[in-house]
Amino acid sequence: MKKLLILILCALVGTKVSAQKEVSAKAIFEAIDKGQSAERRPINYQDVTIVGDLDLTELSNKKRIKRIKSDYEEYKSTVEVPVTFKNCVFQGDFIAYKNIEDKKNKKAGNANINWSFGDGTTFTTDFEKSVVFENCTFKGKSEFKYSDFAEKASFAGTKFAQSANFKYADFNQEIIFAKCDFNEYANFKYSKFKQDADFYDARFNNYADFKYSNFNDRVTFKGSTFKNQADFKYADFKEDTNFDNTKFSSGVDFKYSNGKKYMNK
């Protein structure tokens, strides 16, 4: 009997530890979309699993951006409220950027051939308020290409299981990627860091692309690990950069980069 009670208690404890509330990506999208058009309350989620793809490029405030002499169209959505996710798991893709190619169907004999023309239609998302993704896990892709982060943003302790796309992203205030795990391609090409950038103890398990990145303030990669190629070619370091105890397992390219880079292995 005593052994049976112990087994039951262990099972209950195990259930409590492993159980995590599930929330649909659609419900979160609606909370953001409706909330910012009404009471503008901050969005907060903790210890939840988000099921489905969360696409923030289709918010109600989406606007078409007119570009002169351009072969493609662009639409911009804006998250106008602070968003906070702590210890959350994103099962699907997190979409703040997407591109839909223009396609035409052509008949060739008995076969139909789809072919693309132009650069398609681009959808992007900006964040007007603070953004927090701390100790989260992105199991799908995380697409933040062209996103503008107006206030402080933190991805501290977050794991990116698939590619993390921050190409052309603008970080206007402090950005934190400390203790992050990037398991696939980490794309920060052409990104702009206007204030402090913290990559302390981050782990890049695949190609880390910081080519043409612009660091206007202090940046630290202290204690970080690059298991694949680290590309800082043409990177612009305006202030001091800390690479103390950083491990480059497959080489690093600083060709044509400028600024002070401190390394103490």
Side-chain angles (χ1 to χ4, degrees):
M1 185 67 181
K2 186 176 181 181
K3 289 183 178 180
L4 179 61
L5 288 173
I6 292 173
L7 288 172
I8 292 173
L9 287 172
C10 289
L12 290 173
V13 170
T15 302
K16 185 176 181 181
V17 171
S18 62
Q20 192 168 21
K21 181 181 177 181
E22 289 189 351
V23 179
S24 70
K26 181 181 178 182
I28 293 178
F29 175 88
E30 291 176 349
I32 294 173
D33 198 38
K34 294 178 180 179
Q36 63 186 26
S37 62
E39 64 273 12
R40 292 182 176 271
R41 292 182 180 177
I43 301 299
N44 291 284
Y45 288 92
Q46 186 167 347
D47 300 317
V48 300
T49 296
I50 294 91
V51 181
D53 295 338
L54 180 54
D55 187 351
L56 297 182
T57 66
E58 298 291 346
L59 295 173
S60 297
N61 61 17
K62 178 178 66 178
K63 295 181 180 179
R64 183 174 181 271
I65 298 176
K66 295 182 179 179
R67 295 189 181 277
I68 301 173
K69 296 181 180 180
S70 177
D71 292 332
Y72 70 95
E73 288 188 318
E74 183 177 349
Y75 291 86
K76 175 75 72 176
S77 292
T78 304
V79 177
E80 301 170 348
V81 295
V83 291
T84 298
F85 295 91
K86 292 186 177 181
N87 194 33
C88 294
V89 177
F90 293 86
Q91 294 279 18
D93 294 341
F94 190 101
I95 305 169
Y97 160 84
K98 66 185 178 187
N99 179 268
I100 300 175
E101 290 185 340
D102 294 322
K103 293 185 177 181
K104 283 188 176 181
N105 186 277
K106 184 178 180 180
K107 192 83 172 178
N110 295 323
N112 288 321
I113 300 175
N114 290 320
W115 56 284
S116 301
F117 65 96
D119 293 319
T121 304
T122 298
F123 299 82
T124 61
T125 308
D126 287 345
F127 299 85
E128 283 190 352
K129 302 296 181 181
S130 61
V131 175
V132 175
F133 294 92
E134 290 183 351
N135 299 312
C136 292
T137 298
F138 290 97
K139 289 192 173 182
K141 295 180 181 179
S142 45
E143 296 285 351
F144 292 94
K145 186 177 179 180
Y146 293 111
S147 287
D148 186 286
F149 296 85
E151 296 188 0
K152 181 179 177 178
S154 176
F155 290 83
T158 289
K159 296 180 180 179
F160 298 88
Q162 296 191 39
S163 58
N165 189 3
F166 291 89
K167 188 176 181 180
Y168 291 107
D170 280 353
F171 302 100
N172 291 279
Q173 294 192 26
E174 181 184 5
I175 175 66
I176 301 173
F177 284 102
K179 295 185 178 295
C180 281
D181 278 338
F182 297 92
N183 287 329
E184 295 296 335
Y185 180 29
N187 190 358
F188 290 90
K189 191 175 181 179
Y190 293 106
S191 53
K192 294 181 180 179
F193 301 85
K194 295 179 180 177
Q195 293 193 25
D196 288 1
D198 185 355
F199 287 89
Y200 169 75
D201 199 23
R203 288 165 294 278
F204 298 87
N205 298 313
N206 211 307
Y207 180 45
D209 192 352
F210 288 88
K211 191 185 292 185
Y212 296 102
S213 290
N214 192 303
F215 298 93
N216 283 284
D217 213 325
R218 295 173 300 177
V219 56
T220 180
F221 287 91
K222 184 178 180 180
S224 292
T225 301
F226 292 85
K227 291 186 177 180
N228 207 313
Q229 179 71 14
D231 194 347
F232 290 91
K233 194 174 181 180
Y234 296 102
D236 189 8
F237 300 97
K238 293 287 197 310
E239 297 292 337
D240 296 343
T241 306
N242 190 337
F243 285 98
D244 284 354
N245 301 312
T246 302
K247 297 179 182 178
F248 298 102
S249 300
S250 298
V252 57
D253 189 351
F254 286 112
K255 190 175 182 180
Y256 304 122
S257 66
N258 59 51
K260 296 179 180 179
K261 297 174 280 291
Y262 296 98
M263 298 185 186
N264 179 24
K265 297 182 180 180

